């Protein structure tokens, strides 16, 4: 099955572009048991930033911010609808993070349409932990 076929499936599995702490497979499987790593991928014209303070971690939370010519490398997971809902809860969606649709390019050059999360109320740079 090609990546474009996977990204076109509706109601079967969702594609999720992970960056930061959600690249950790064990962390993802704790929240989302159906999580299957699918591909490394790049989100073009965005940069990784830390735009909100977290009292829980004592530092900035990872975020993706539009930035022409920049890129964020991450991973794509396949998730069930139920696990995507669980991930919304883990990410504090829609209050802390909002889920948004992005197009990423996989290692093999396929364009994948995936969900990702970005901070809702961004602040200036906050050093991460």
């Amino acid at each position: 099955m090609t990546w474009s076929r996977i990204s076109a499936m509706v109601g079967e599995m969702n594609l999720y572009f992970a960056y930061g702490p959600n690249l950790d497979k064990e962390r993802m499987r704790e929240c989302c048991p159906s999580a299957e790593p699918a591909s490394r991928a790049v989100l073009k014209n965005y940069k990784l930033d830390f735009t909100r303070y977290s009292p829980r971690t004592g530092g900035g939370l990872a975020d993706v911010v539009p930035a022409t010519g920049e890129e964020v490398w991450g991973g794509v997971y396949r998730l069930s609808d139920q696990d995507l809902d669980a991930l919304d809860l883990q990410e504090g969606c829609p209050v802390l993070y909002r889920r948004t649709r992005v197009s990423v390019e996989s290692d093999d050059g396929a364009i994948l349409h995936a969900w990702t999360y970005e901070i809702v109320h961004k602040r200036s740079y906050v050093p991460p932990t």
Side-chain angles (χ1 to χ4, degrees):
M1 181 177 300
T2 66
W3 288 119
S4 16
R5 168 73 178 110
I6 291 171
S7 67
M9 288 193 284
V10 176
E12 293 179 28
M13 293 297 272
N14 298 283
L15 296 181
Y16 162 59
F17 176 71
Y19 60 90
N22 284 348
L23 288 172
D24 181 346
K25 288 184 247 181
E26 286 76 30
R27 174 187 163 102
M28 279 299 297
R29 287 222 171 94
E30 284 176 17
C31 172
C32 305
S34 73
E36 287 182 43
S39 176
R40 289 187 330 157
V42 62
L43 176 60
K44 294 185 177 180
N45 295 313
Y46 279 80
K47 70 177 182 174
L48 182 66
D49 205 348
F50 299 87
T51 62
R52 185 153 179 178
Y53 178 77
S54 168
R56 186 176 61 82
T57 65
L61 294 174
D63 190 10
V64 288
V65 177
T68 303
E70 300 283 335
E71 54 189 31
V72 176
W73 280 90
V76 175
Y77 288 96
R78 287 187 290 269
L79 301 175
S80 68
D81 288 342
Q82 180 180 358
D83 282 350
L84 188 59
D85 290 342
L87 192 55
D88 280 350
L89 289 174
Q90 176 179 289
E91 298 301 317
C93 184
V95 176
L96 180 58
Y97 282 90
R98 79 174 130 251
R99 183 171 13 128
T100 186
R101 203 55 123 150
V102 294
S103 295
V104 297
E105 186 176 331
S106 70
D107 273 347
D108 66 4
I111 302 301
L112 307 175
H113 304 289
W115 294 110
T116 199
Y117 293 89
E118 62 178 307
I119 297 282
V120 175
H121 300 290
K122 299 175 188 308
R123 310 280 192 265
S124 59
Y125 177 76
V126 179
T129 55

